[in-house]
Amino acid sequence: MTKIAIITGASSGIGRQIALDLSKVGYECILLGRGLEKLKSIHAECLNSKIYQIDLNSPKSIQTFISKFLKDYESIKNSNVVLINNAGIVERESFESSSMDSWNKQFQTNLFGPVSLTMGLVEFLKKQSVGKIINISSTLGIRPIRETSAYSASKAAMNNWTMSLALELSEYKISVNAICPGIIETPLQSFYQTENLELRETLNRMQPLGRVGTPLDISNLVSYICSEQCSWMTGSILPLDGGILLG
């Protein structure tokens, strides 16, 4: 059976790791992202992949991709297809200093973009033998911290949408789940590639399991959800955070 994984934000961080890992187990990876050069780099490392430029902050860009993808893959039926809504942005700022432009940008990229993309691909998923949707959310969608009002709200909405969508798509045997990473070593984090060892040690001590997460930690769970062993889970909101939500 043909296996296809459509991955947003595939050029770096968690998305890049997911693409590398799924390609190793036979998935054709559809790599989506804004930066063409970064996409070309991960494309060269994936065994079987194609790249498409897309900007989730642009509804026009999303629709352009959907039209091109459906044309390129119109003959694909009865396959195993996974849509992984991974791309996201965060702008740390207090609520009082934030602007509606910032709120709109974060909600468009983190929520409305994935919703629009999923809307455009859901009929394609219905035609497959196996259809799965995995949303990469955040623990901040469960318990926010200071200066993340817009980001946390967008991820809380993503979690609720995940559960609603799981109910609606269950009759088509399409599962929908969300993974909520805690602090992960990715370019999205302000401490990424910092030389401040004290900051790193402080962050590690904050985690009950003694370290911040890595993209591989998230990718391992994605790989499990994609596998045949995971066939009876839908509507789940799965924190993967080293225990940080415990306090």
Side-chain angles (χ1 to χ4, degrees), residues 28-46:
E28 177 181 354
C29 291
I30 309 302
L31 309 172
L32 310 185
R34 290 179 298 176
L36 186 57
E37 293 307 312
K38 286 186 176 181
L39 284 174
K40 287 180 179 178
S41 176
I42 182 61
H43 172 59
E45 295 184 61
C46 284

Side-chain angles (χ1 to χ4, degrees), residues 13-30:
I14 292 171
R16 182 180 184 278
Q17 188 67 56
I18 290 170
L20 289 171
D21 291 346
L22 291 184
S23 71
K24 292 175 183 177
V25 293
Y27 278 86
E28 177 181 354
C29 291
I30 309 302

Side-chain angles (χ1 to χ4, degrees), residues 5 10 36 41-42 44 54 71 85 101 113 129 139 145 153 160 168 170 182 194 199 202 224 243:
L36 186 57
S41 176
I42 182 61
I54 187 174
K71 182 179 179 180
N85 290 309
D101 283 343
S129 295
T139 52
I145 60 175
N160 201 288
E168 294 195 26
S170 61
T194 181
L199 171 60
T202 298
Y224 169 68

Side-chain angles (χ1 to χ4, degrees), residues 26-84:
Y27 278 86
E28 177 181 354
C29 291
I30 309 302
L31 309 172
L32 310 185
R34 290 179 298 176
L36 186 57
E37 293 307 312
K38 286 186 176 181
L39 284 174
K40 287 180 179 178
S41 176
I42 182 61
H43 172 59
E45 295 184 61
C46 284
L47 301 175
N48 184 17
S49 62
K50 290 184 180 179
I51 60 175
Y52 293 84
Q53 271 189 293
I54 187 174
D55 182 358
L56 292 180
N57 199 41
S58 166
K60 182 179 178 180
S61 175
I62 295 169
Q63 292 307 313
T64 297
F65 161 73
I66 290 170
S67 296
K68 183 169 178 54
F69 174 81
L70 293 179
K71 182 179 179 180
D72 291 346
Y73 285 82
E74 60 184 352
S75 63
I76 298 295
K77 296 180 181 179
N78 301 317
S79 298
N80 179 335
V81 179
V82 182
L83 169 60
I84 302 168

